[in-house]
């Protein structure tokens, strides 16, 4: 879990992509959006979903940087929205006092 949280925290993406994803958080519906994004019948747990979302987003980021013709800005934003939402569902480690 810590590795996933660290991975998310260390992502560096253009500010406009991140702002759009943050704005889209209000409309995120896990059951609807995650199933569609992952093309799955059942919604996996946050850890499993986040692992798959990170892999897919990394592919899109590579396409974006290459300037590939098949790059989808909307899909990239949708994946970032889902990643942010799923990261919030991960269990938090206990705080040291």
């Amino acid at each position: 879990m810590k590795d996933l949280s660290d991975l998310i925290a260390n992502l560096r993406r253009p500010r406009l992509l991140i702002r759009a994803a943050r704005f889209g958080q209000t409309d995120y519906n896990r059951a609807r959006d995650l199933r569609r994004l992952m093309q799955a019948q059942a919604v996996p747990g946050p850890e499993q979903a986040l692992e798959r979302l990170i892999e897919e987003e990394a592919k899109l980021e590579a396409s974006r940087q290459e300037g590939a013709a098949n790059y989808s800005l909307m899909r990239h934003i949708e994946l970032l929205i889902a990643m942010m939402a799923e990261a919030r569902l991960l269990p938090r480690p206990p705080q040291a006092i």
Side-chain angles (χ1 to χ4, degrees), residues 16-31:
L16 189 57
L17 276 176
I18 298 302
R19 288 181 66 194
R22 283 185 184 141
F23 184 75
Q25 290 286 299
T26 57
D27 292 330
Y28 181 74
N29 178 311
R30 188 171 197 270

Side-chain angles (χ1 to χ4, degrees), residues 11-14 17-18 20-21 37 53 56-65 71-83:
L11 278 180
R12 298 293 173 246
R13 299 296 182 257
L17 276 176
I18 298 302
L37 285 171
L53 290 167
E56 183 68 25
E57 192 276 336
K59 292 174 190 174
L60 274 175
E61 177 62 11
S63 294
R64 183 190 70 78
Q65 289 180 350
Y71 171 71
S72 171
L73 175 63
M74 291 304 297
R75 179 150 176 88
H76 201 166
I77 293 170
E78 290 174 337
L79 285 170
L80 288 169
I81 290 169
M83 286 170 56

Side-chain angles (χ1 to χ4, degrees), residues 30-31 34-36 38-45 48-49 52:
R30 188 171 197 270
L34 196 55
R35 220 174 338 155
R36 181 180 47 80
M38 300 179 79
Q39 299 171 351
Q41 294 291 357
V43 178
Q48 296 154 327
R52 288 183 52 196

